Amino acid sequence: MADAPIRSSPPLLVEPSAIVVRTPNWLGDLMMCTGFLRALLARFPDVPVDLIVRQGFEVLPLPQRGRVLPYDRREGPGAFGGRLRARGYSHFFVLPPSFSAAWMAWRSAVPWRVGFRGQGRGKLLRPALRDDAAPRSRHLALEYLHLLSLWGVPAETPPAPHLPVDEAWCAAHRPGELAGPAPYAVLAPGAEYGPAKQWPLAGYGALARGLSAAGVRVVVVGLDKDAAAAAEILAGVPGGMNLCGRTNLAALVATLAGTALLVSNDSGAMHVAAALGRPQVALFGSTSPAWTGPLNARARVFYRGLSCSPCYARTCPLGHTNCLHQIDAGEVQEAALELLQPSSAAKTGD
């Protein structure tokens, strides 16, 4: 029996004919990958680019040139990947660092599956890139951009996020309570990752009262589980609005698109505001702004950088969360009021 012919591998720098991107599961990471998506579209201006997004995220107007494919995690990555085989993609960019994301790409049988190795993913990717930088030593948006380095895209400056919404889209999704010309400030006290990322409610409450005294309408956003905390924050705040659990994702984006200011922890809301270019104050505790800080010229970041920070833990391993308790409400209010001044827009290039 004759030996089977040896098939030589195609050259490494193959120009794509159809691209699919597995985007991250976390809202904040999804916002940070929009800079990568814009660079991808610019590098391959004539190539269709489809996006795989976590189910529920398909309502967002993300940068793409094709279809948005919602992924229900109950289906499983292997089954979903198998359904992609007939779509004719030449390249699959794998942004999440998980094994399951690489497994989805492998099951799709797309010839080129571009991602970073790690977590046993090496044999599932082609090529499996090595990231020589120390973990979390550079901004996550820059990590994503490095996936395009094989095609000559420079990865030196983290690309700014961008969410292309217009007023018509926002008007269709904005909660009715926010109708009218009066400006409002949004507080987002939650953090889905865990309490080690959450500034104390007492700080948010003092800030809410200070903003209200300055004539600013205060709105608190979050999930159903954040409603009680929001009520505590808004105690003694005339006209304060508790929208926790009352906004879907599209309504949250529309709310943030119209806000005069967002004050939040390191969270998805923080990155949405950055992608919209809204003025914001970001409060960091267990995580590092060097890795996931808001890429927004109109952002003010508070981070104490204690000897125990960043720990990236969901709850404080030392039981005190000093990294957040040491951020004073007075200095946060001062930064917030400065950003609310009309002159601040000119300072930040708006």
Side-chain angles (χ1 to χ4, degrees), residues 177-204:
E177 296 95 322
L178 300 177
Y184 58 88
V186 174
L187 309 184
E192 188 66 9
Y193 185 74
K197 293 177 71 173
Q198 294 177 273
W199 194 43
L201 295 184
Y204 276 109

Side-chain angles (χ1 to χ4, degrees), residues 31 34 38 160-165 253 256-262 269-281 294-300 339 344-346 348-350:
M31 294 297 101
T34 57
R38 297 174 75 191
H162 180 61
L163 200 55
V165 300
V253 172
L256 295 177
T259 189
L261 172 73
L262 170 72
M270 180 194 77
H271 289 291
V272 170
L276 295 168
R278 304 310 303 153
Q280 62 183 144
V281 177
L295 296 173
N296 180 9
R298 306 179 73 179
R300 303 289 185 272
L339 284 167
S344 68
T348 53
D350 212 32

